[in-house]
């Protein structure tokens, strides 16, 4: 019986790690667990799309993509693939010191962060322009951190500053702008809960990056324990929270009830769009 349930993680034997700072066996074990969480969440979430009402599947589609990409990314990292060995600048014990940088994690973020931003935007009822703005900010954030991780001098902190600025603008947009719009469509409480949770987690990503791929203060395994926890709380947990709260949402009022003809055009109450403009006197009448 013990032999039946015995499992060995051979990933690091098949794909040996490189660099002075590298993924450990325990780190790989943890990442396989994260992969399993993503895969199971993907299967469950995809299955629920078959029982969702017609026209109310937009959040299923969004998070199914994020969960699938996360599954692929964490599979690659757990298997010790999709990385580059980069010389470190800060906190190196000797003159020549390098570190495994897993670009697969950034691929995960470049998909999952925009998905979360789009989901919050659709819920709050902000304009498509605002949603596009938030997606662009999330891409700027992730790509700046990716370039910074690959930079082998202290100029990396310039990219960190640019990326963190994009995060600050994204946080302001999803919290302040999103909350104002959410009140108009009657989902202020749920939006505050979800956007607050997301931005609490997003606040920790700059810290995690600065300690790991940026400053080399912690090793690869502790870094991916940190990132793994954040990612699981951000995507799998958030996706099911969306699904649970969505039971009480009026998709028509939120303007996200998609039909075979496209998106429903009537959504919420916007007094500034319905108030009749004051009648202006005709120039000829003024003269008279």
């Amino acid at each position: 019986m013990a032999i039946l349930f015995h499992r060995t993680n051979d990933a690091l034997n098949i794909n040996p790690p490189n660099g002075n700072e590298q993924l450990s066996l325990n780190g790989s074990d943890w990442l396989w667990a994260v992969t399993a969480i993503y895969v199971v969440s993907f299967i469950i979430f995809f299955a629920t799309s078959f029982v969702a009402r017609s026209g109310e599947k937009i959040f299923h589609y969004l998070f199914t993509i994020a969960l699938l990409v996360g599954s692929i990314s964490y599979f690659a990292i757990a298997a010790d693939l999709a990385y580059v060995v980069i010389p470190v600048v800060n906190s190196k014990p000797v003159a020549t010191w390098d570190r495994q940088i897993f670009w697969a994690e950034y691929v995960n973020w470049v998909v999952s962060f925009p998905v979360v931003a789009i989901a919050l935007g659709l819920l709050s009822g902000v304009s498509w322009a605002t949603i596009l703005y938030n997606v662009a900010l999330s891409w700027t954030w992730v790509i700046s951190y990716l370039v910074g991780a690959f930079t082998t001098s202290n100029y990396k902190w310039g990219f960190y500053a640019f990326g963190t600025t994009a995060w600050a603008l994204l946080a302001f947009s999803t919290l302040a702008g999103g909350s104002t719009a959410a009140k108009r469509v009657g989902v202020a409480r749920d939006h505050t809960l979800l956007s607050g949770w997301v931005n609490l987690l997003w606040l920790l990503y700059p810290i995690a990056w600065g300690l790991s791929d940026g400053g080399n203060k912690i090793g690869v395994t502790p870094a991916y324990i940190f990132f793994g926890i954040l990612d699981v709380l951000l995507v799998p947990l958030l996706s099911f929270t969306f699904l649970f709260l969505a039971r009480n949402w009026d998709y028509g009022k939120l303007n996200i009830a998609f039909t075979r003809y496209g998106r429903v055009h009537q959504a919420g109450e916007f007094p500034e769009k319905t108030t009749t403009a004051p009648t202006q006197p005709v120039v000829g009448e003024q003269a008279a």
Side-chain angles (χ1 to χ4, degrees):
M1 184 64 70
I3 296 176
L4 179 63
F5 289 99
H6 180 68
R7 295 290 184 272
T8 302
N9 182 0
D10 291 328
L12 302 190
N13 294 327
I14 299 172
N15 307 305
N18 293 303
N20 303 111
E21 295 285 353
Q22 57 185 231
L23 184 67
S24 68
L25 180 60
N26 289 335
S28 179
D29 290 339
W30 158 250
L31 290 168
W32 283 122
V34 175
T35 304
I37 293 172
Y38 265 88
V39 170
V40 171
S41 298
F42 162 72
I43 293 172
I44 296 173
F45 211 82
F46 179 69
T48 60
S49 66
F50 291 99
V51 297
R53 287 181 289 184
S54 178
E56 298 185 359
K57 299 183 180 182
I58 182 61
F59 296 116
H60 292 81
Y61 296 153
L62 287 172
F63 285 108
T64 293
I65 295 170
L67 290 167
L68 178 58
V69 172
S71 300
I72 298 169
S73 298
Y74 270 100
F75 174 85
I77 302 171
D80 201 40
L81 300 169
Y83 69 86
V84 177
V85 177
I86 300 293
V88 301
V89 181
N90 308 112
S91 303
K92 52 184 179 180
V94 295
T96 303
W97 197 257
D98 46 34
R99 178 188 182 96
Q100 277 186 303
I101 302 293
F102 288 93
W103 52 262
E105 180 68 289
Y106 296 87
V107 173
N108 178 34
W109 294 341
V110 87
V111 174
S112 64
F113 286 8
V115 162
V116 171
I118 293 170
L120 289 176
L122 290 175
L123 171 62
S124 66
V126 295
S127 67
W128 282 112
T130 301
I131 293 175
L132 181 60
Y133 169 69
N134 291 341
V135 168
L137 285 174
S138 66
W139 281 340
T140 304
W141 177 15
V142 174
I143 293 172
S144 296
Y145 278 17
L146 174 62
V147 175
F150 281 13
T151 301
T152 58
S153 69
N154 276 318
Y155 282 95
K156 68 169 55 191
W157 297 109
F159 294 108
Y160 176 76
F162 289 127
T164 304
T165 300
W167 156 74
L169 293 173
L170 178 61
F172 178 80
S173 179
T174 53
L175 285 172
S179 297
T180 300
K183 292 177 182 178
R184 296 170 174 169
V185 289
V187 292
R189 180 183 63 86
D190 289 349
H191 180 270
T192 299
L193 172 66
L194 293 168
S195 63
W197 177 252
V198 166
N199 280 283
L200 174 62
L201 295 174
W202 274 349
L203 172 65
L204 298 176
Y205 279 93
I207 298 172
W209 190 91
L211 293 174
S212 57
D213 290 354
N216 195 45
K217 291 290 186 180
I218 60 177
V220 175
T221 294
Y224 278 91
I225 292 174
F226 201 164
F227 286 139
I229 292 172
L230 291 178
D231 287 343
V232 166
L233 295 177
L234 182 66
V235 180
L237 179 60
L238 182 71
S239 63
F240 287 106
T241 305
F242 256 90
L243 203 61
F244 176 77
L245 295 176
R247 299 176 305 163
N248 301 317
W249 297 341
D250 184 342
Y251 278 62
K253 189 176 182 180
L254 293 176
N255 198 15
I256 54 175
F258 292 85
T259 70
R260 62 177 178 171
Y261 303 108
R263 194 181 185 191
V264 174
H265 296 291
Q266 181 62 35
E269 297 178 3
F270 299 87
E272 68 273 21
K273 292 185 178 181
T274 57
T275 302
T276 304
T279 304
Q280 298 295 328
V282 181
V283 175
E285 293 177 351
Q286 288 182 330

